[in-house]
Amino acid sequence: MRRSLIALIALSLLTSVAAACGDDDGDADAPVSEEGGGASSDVDELAEDLGVDDMVESQEAAQEAQGGGHATITIGDQTWEFDSVLCNVGPSETGRDDTEFVLSSIQDGLQLDATINTEFGHSISLNDIEDLANPSVSYGFTDIGAVTGGEITEVIQVDGKDVYAEAAFYDDTSESFEEIPGELTATCP
């Protein structure tokens, strides 16, 4: 669930990731308010606080304005197609000194994100953004080695406008920690 929210924040092309994922002053073991309605309500409140609906609308408008590109992601035996993508290359376009590349797309209630960050490594996610509390789809790959201070594994390959990646994804809707092989191919506009 947390990975889904982080992926949604990427809709703003990572300009707000540092603020949203910075210091975590919340207590993970704090009891859920009886009035709040449980975890589903907490997720809805967080999404509202972060302005997720506004970010989604902004991303969709940018995709429509820029137009073009294409992405296909296959995880296990399932494939999703995205008819339009946004790509930002280099810190001047991503808006962050530590972010070299961002590919993002929203289509059919799903958000695809692929990011190359010089500090946190490579990450790819595919998430249901219509139902954050009970997502139908939530897959992610994160370069754990880079996150824990190791070397960055160059999973996402960018060659001009062509993007390719092979990775082992985790299904965040499942209790299983099974790695599922996947592949991303894309062409930036």
Side-chain angles (χ1 to χ4, degrees):
M1 180 101 47
R2 181 180 177 121
R3 190 181 340 218
S4 298
L5 291 174
I6 291 171
L8 288 173
I9 294 166
L11 292 173
S12 65
L13 301 175
L14 293 177
T15 56
S16 64
V17 170
C21 296
D23 295 334
D24 185 9
D25 295 331
D27 182 356
D29 297 324
V32 175
S33 163
E34 292 298 320
E35 296 174 10
S40 175
S41 177
D42 293 343
V43 170
D44 294 339
E45 283 181 34
L46 180 58
E48 188 174 320
D49 290 347
L50 292 174
V52 170
D53 288 341
D54 293 338
M55 285 190 277
V56 168
E57 288 176 18
S58 175
Q59 167 100 12
E60 289 173 329
Q63 270 182 236
E64 189 173 315
Q66 185 179 37
H70 181 268
T72 302
I73 186 167
T74 300
I75 301 172
D77 60 358
Q78 296 183 14
T79 299
W80 296 268
E81 300 278 338
F82 291 83
D83 298 329
S84 175
V85 298
L86 291 176
C87 294
N88 294 78
V89 181
S92 64
E93 288 185 21
T94 65
R96 294 190 41 107
D97 290 338
D98 62 355
T99 304
E100 293 296 322
F101 176 78
V102 175
L103 176 143
S104 188
S105 183
I106 293 177
Q107 185 173 310
D108 301 327
L110 298 176
Q111 193 253 337
L112 171 66
D113 177 74
T115 302
I116 300 174
N117 182 286
T118 58
E119 185 176 346
F120 298 110
H122 294 216
S123 64
I124 305 169
S125 63
L126 177 67
N127 291 290
D128 176 349
I129 58 172
E130 291 184 342
D131 189 352
L132 298 177
N134 299 300
S136 61
V137 173
S138 184
Y139 289 103
F141 161 80
T142 301
D143 185 358
I144 299 298
V147 172
T148 59
E151 281 190 38
I152 292 176
T153 305
E154 295 186 12
V155 173
I156 302 169
Q157 305 295 318
V158 181
D159 183 12
K161 293 183 180 266
D162 296 325
V163 180
Y164 179 77
E166 283 186 33
F169 291 84
Y170 290 98
D171 182 352
D172 288 336
T173 65
S174 167
E175 296 294 320
S176 168
F177 291 104
E178 175 186 356
E179 292 183 335
I180 305 166
E183 178 180 86
L184 169 67
T185 57
T187 303
C188 291

